[in-house]
Amino acid sequence: MTDCIFCKIIQGSIPCEKVYEDDQFLAFLDIKPATKGHMLIIPKDHSVDCTQMDPELGASFFRIVNRLIEAAKKGLGAKGCNLGSNIGAPSGQEVFHTHFHLIPRYDANELSHWPRQESSQAEQVIIAEKIIASQ
Ligand code: 5GP
Ligand code: ZN
C-alpha cells in the first residue's frame, strides 16, 4: 500500500527502531511509547487489521511475541507485558495496517486499564447468546 505508513517502514523509506525482523514480521519501537520498550509487531503483508491477516501466521506471531516478552524481561527488567490490538476506529485504531502493541510492564500503577462496569447475569446471558448465535 503506497500511502500506508507501516508499509513504508517495512520498505525502509520511513526509519524505525527495529527490534526483530524475519520474512513475515517486523517489530519496532512505538514512536510514542506507553512504557519503556513499547513495541509494535506487524505482518509484512498489508492488511487493515488482524481480522484480515492470514490466520496461518498465528503460530509464528506467538513465537515472536514470546521471544520479545523474554527480551523485555531480560533486557529492560520488565515484570510483565500487555499485548493488544486495536481493531477499527471506535477502538482507537489510528494506523490501518495490522499491528499488535506489546507493552512491557514494570509496575501495576504505571498505566490504567479501561474502566469496568457492573453487568447483571441476565444481561450477560443475553449478550452471550447473541455472540454464540452470530458465529
Ligand atoms: P493504533 O492506535 O493504531 O493502535 O496505534 C498506532 C501506533 O503507531 C501508535 O501507538 C503510534 O504511536 C504508532 N506510530 C504511528 N506512527 C508511527 C511511526 O511513524 N513510527 C513508529 N515507530 N510508530 C508510529
Ligand atoms: Zn501497510
Side-chain angles (χ1 to χ4, degrees):
M1 284 273 290
T2 50
D3 61 347
C4 171
I5 194 162
F6 284 178
C7 282
K8 288 180 181 165
I9 286 176
I10 291 164
Q11 290 151 11
S13 56
I14 293 179
C16 73
E17 287 302 326
K18 192 184 298 183
V19 294
Y20 176 84
E21 183 170 21
D22 64 25
D23 290 348
Q24 296 172 318
F25 286 95
L26 176 68
F28 53 97
L29 297 184
D30 194 298
I31 204 165
K32 289 186 181 172
T35 68
K36 180 178 65 177
H38 180 169
M39 294 169 253
L40 299 172
I41 305 167
I42 67 174
K44 288 188 171 177
D45 269 349
H46 179 90
S47 53
V48 295
D49 63 42
C50 66
T51 68
Q52 305 299 312
M53 185 179 104
D54 179 359
E56 297 297 326
L57 292 174
S60 303
F61 169 72
F62 280 106
R63 273 193 289 276
I64 296 162
V65 167
N66 291 337
R67 174 190 174 114
L68 292 173
I69 290 172
E70 285 309 307
K73 287 180 175 174
K74 192 174 161 191
L76 302 177
K79 301 286 185 282
C81 285
N82 292 109
L83 172 67
S85 191
N86 297 326
I87 301 161
S91 75
Q93 185 177 6
E94 292 180 350
V95 176
F96 290 86
H97 178 124
T98 304
H99 57 280
F100 300 88
H101 296 263
L102 184 59
I103 303 174
R105 297 300 301 269
Y106 307 89
D107 182 296
N109 298 319
E110 70 206 330
L111 282 181
S112 55
H113 277 289
W114 44 72
R116 299 178 190 200
Q117 52 194 336
E118 298 300 321
S119 179
S120 69
Q121 197 192 352
E123 186 182 35
Q124 296 283 70
V125 167
I126 291 166
I127 292 167
E129 282 174 355
K130 285 183 179 171
I131 294 170
I132 291 166
S134 303
Q135 292 175 47

